């Protein structure tokens, strides 16, 4: 199985739950071979909270103020040995 590098959009109630599950999977489910890279949200407080949560689990994540910045970063980390997963937990009206 190839490593999966995860980027997430949105940290609302639904997104926060998914974010915490991804962090939990990275820390406690090694067979998943998952690496949570970063999260995008327009709310700075939610991003700060996500960074703090990751730090308490000894993980460093990247935060982005826009989905565009996050997608640009995702393109930079793309490699042959990993899949890129973008989990869109933003408001459904903003899904492309």
């Amino acid at each position: 199985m190839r490593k999966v590098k995860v980027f997430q959009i949105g940290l609302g109630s639904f997104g926060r739950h998914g974010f915490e599950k991804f962090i939990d999977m990275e820390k406690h489910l090694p067979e998943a071979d998952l690496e949570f890279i970063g999260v995008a949200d327009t709310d700075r407080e939610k991003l700060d909270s996500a960074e703090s949560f990751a730090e308490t689990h000894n993980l460093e994540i990247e935060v982005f103020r826009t989905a565009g910045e996050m997608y640009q970063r995702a393109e930079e980390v793309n490699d042959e040995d990993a899949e890129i997963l973008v989990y869109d937990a933003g408001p459904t009206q903003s899904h492309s």
Side-chain angles (χ1 to χ4, degrees):
M1 174 187 290
R2 292 170 48 169
K3 177 179 277 297
V4 177
K5 296 184 178 189
V6 178
F7 291 85
Q8 179 176 325
I9 300 169
L11 286 167
S13 60
F14 186 75
R16 181 62 189 214
H17 178 74
F19 168 77
E20 291 176 3
K21 292 298 177 189
F22 278 125
I23 297 295
D24 189 50
M25 285 172 47
E26 180 173 349
K27 291 301 292 180
H28 304 291
L29 194 60
E31 62 271 17
D33 204 9
L34 175 107
E35 180 182 359
F36 193 92
I37 303 292
V39 62
D41 199 287
T42 57
D43 186 324
R44 186 72 216 169
E45 288 182 30
K46 290 178 181 177
L47 290 173
D48 290 343
S49 177
E51 278 186 303
S52 294
F53 182 83
E55 286 175 7
T56 63
H57 290 84
N58 298 316
L59 295 173
E60 189 174 317
I61 63 168
E62 297 178 45
V63 295
F64 307 94
R65 292 297 303 250
T66 68
E69 292 173 355
M70 187 209 65
Y71 275 108
Q72 183 176 4
R73 179 69 176 116
E75 288 178 3
E76 293 171 3
V77 301
N78 195 8
D79 63 52
E80 294 178 6
D81 298 325
E83 296 290 335
I84 302 295
L85 169 69
V86 174
Y87 172 57
D88 191 342
T92 55
Q93 67 269 24
S94 67
H95 290 187
S96 51

